[in-house]
Amino acid sequence: MNSVRAFEANFDGLVGPTHHYGGHSFGNVASTGNANQAANPREAALQGLAKMKALADLGYRQGVLPPQERPALWMLRDLGYTGSDAEIIAAMSNTPSGFLSALSSASSMWTANAATVSPSADTQDGRVHFTVANLQNKFHRAIEHKQTARTLKSIFAHPQHFMVHDALPMLAAFGDEGAANHTRLCHDYAEQGVELFVYGRQHWGGQIAPQHYPARQTREASEAVIRRHGLAASHTVLAQQNPAVIDAGVFHNDVIAVGNQNVLFCHQDAFLASDQVYAELTAKMAGQLHIIEVSRDVVSVADAVKSYLFNSQLLAKPDGRQRLVVPEECRNTPAVWAYLQALQASNGPIDELCWSMT
C-alpha cells in the first residue's frame, strides 16, 4: 500500500457579493478606520482567487471555503421578521442602518477565524480535529459558526480521519476566535508538533487585561480546545497576549505574530512575558526553534497594525527556507518595507517575499 506523507493545505475564504466596509469590529483599528469606504466585491473576489491560484501554481495544496448566505435572512426570521425575502429587507428600513450592515457582512472570508485545527500527529486519537470558533464577541461574526460547522463537516466528512467539533458555548467565559490565536510549530508536518495558544484574558482569574479594547480570546476557551483535541501538555504552550498591544489595536495574535514549522516571526511586544514564552516553546521544540523578533525600535506596533505585517502567510519551501506572503500595505509603510528588505537579505530562514499575487 502506498503511504501518503503528511502535508499542509491552505484554505482561503471567498469574498461574498455583500462585501462592504461596515466598521463593525471595535478593537480592529483597520476595520473601524475603513468604515463606510467604497468596496468592490467583484474585484476583491478576483484578487482572492488570483492569490489562491498563485499558491497552487507554486505547488501548495489550496482549497477554498465558500461565502455564507448574506444578508442572513434566517437570523432575521429567528428574530421575528416574517414575509418574503424582499419584504423582510424592506422592513429593515425602520431599524438602525448598522443592523442590516452587520447581517450582510462578508467577514467569513477571514478563514483564520473559522476554526482551530490540530493535525493527526498531535492528537490523542490520531484524527485531525477542528473546533469551530464561536466569535461571540461581535454580532456580525457570531452568526457564522453554524454555517462554518456545516461547511467543514461537508469537506472533512470521513469520521475515521476527521473530527469537527461545534463551537464552544456562546458565553463570554469561552470567547474563541479560532486559528487567529493559534500557531502550530513543528520540525516536519508528519511529526508531533507544539501548539501555541494565545489568549487575551482569563475569565476566572486575576491576570492583567486590556483597558480600552476587548480581549476576545479567553484562556478558558483555549484550554477547552486543548482538551477537545486530545493534545499533550508536553506539546502545548499557553501564552497571554500583551494587553498593551490589544489596546493598540492588535485584536488577534495573528496581527502581531505568525509561525510555520520551526519559525516564529513576531513583534517584540507580542506576548506579556516574551522570555518565558520563548523559553517554553524552545524547550518543547527540543531546542530547535528560529525566533525572529521584530524590535519596536525598528517597526512600531502602530506600523505593524497599519501594514498587517504579521497577518502575513509563512509558507515552507522545498529547500527548508520560508517564503512570506505579505499584504500590499507593507510596501506602503516605509519602516515595514525597509525591515522586510533587510529580512530577505539576512540569510535567515525567511528568504523570499511575495506581495503581489495578481
Side-chain angles (χ1 to χ4, degrees), residues 173-188:
F174 297 102
D176 180 26
E177 299 285 310
N181 290 309
H182 171 261
T183 303
R184 199 246 181 179
L185 302 166
C186 65
H187 301 299
D188 186 283

Side-chain angles (χ1 to χ4, degrees), residues 205-341:
Q207 290 182 311
I208 185 173
Q211 301 300 305
H212 183 53
Y213 290 137
R216 305 184 189 184
Q217 182 80 26
T218 66
R219 181 184 178 104
E220 290 83 357
S222 296
E223 290 172 336
V225 173
I226 291 170
R227 290 191 297 269
R228 280 182 165 193
H229 293 194
L231 304 180
S234 60
H235 286 76
T236 56
V237 174
L238 277 159
Q240 185 175 0
Q241 191 173 359
N242 186 345
V245 300
I246 296 178
D247 280 337
V250 182
F251 55 103
H252 290 139
N253 180 63
D254 68 358
V255 182
I256 202 75
V258 61
N260 184 37
Q261 290 190 330
N262 64 346
V263 177
L264 177 65
F265 178 48
C266 61
H267 194 274
Q268 178 181 0
D269 295 321
F271 307 108
L272 184 61
S274 295
D275 290 344
Q276 294 177 27
V277 174
Y278 298 159
E280 186 176 359
L281 284 171
T282 301
K284 291 181 175 180
M285 285 286 289
Q288 301 176 45
L289 176 64
H290 296 284
I291 299 172
I292 303 174
E293 184 186 77
V294 183
S295 168
R296 68 176 73 95
D297 296 329
V298 176
V299 175
S300 67
V301 172
D303 276 347
V305 171
K306 174 185 176 183
S307 65
Y308 268 40
L309 167 61
F310 298 98
N311 211 229
S312 304
Q313 190 170 8
L314 266 179
L315 297 167
K317 298 168 61 177
D319 64 1
R321 300 286 185 93
Q322 304 267 338
R323 56 169 52 97
L324 186 67
V325 182
V326 300
E328 185 71 22
E329 287 87 346
C330 287
R331 296 188 70 193
N332 300 327
T333 309
V336 170
W337 192 241
Y339 170 79
L340 287 172
Q341 296 302 298

Side-chain angles (χ1 to χ4, degrees), residues 19 64 87 149 189 242 273 331 352:
H19 163 59
V64 56
E87 289 170 338
Y189 292 130
N242 186 345
R331 296 188 70 193
E352 183 180 342

Side-chain angles (χ1 to χ4, degrees), residues 16 47 114 120 137 139 186 191 206 238-239 247 257 269 351:
Q47 286 179 354
S120 55
N137 191 262
F139 171 67
C186 65
E191 300 173 357
L238 277 159
D247 280 337
D269 295 321
D351 70 344

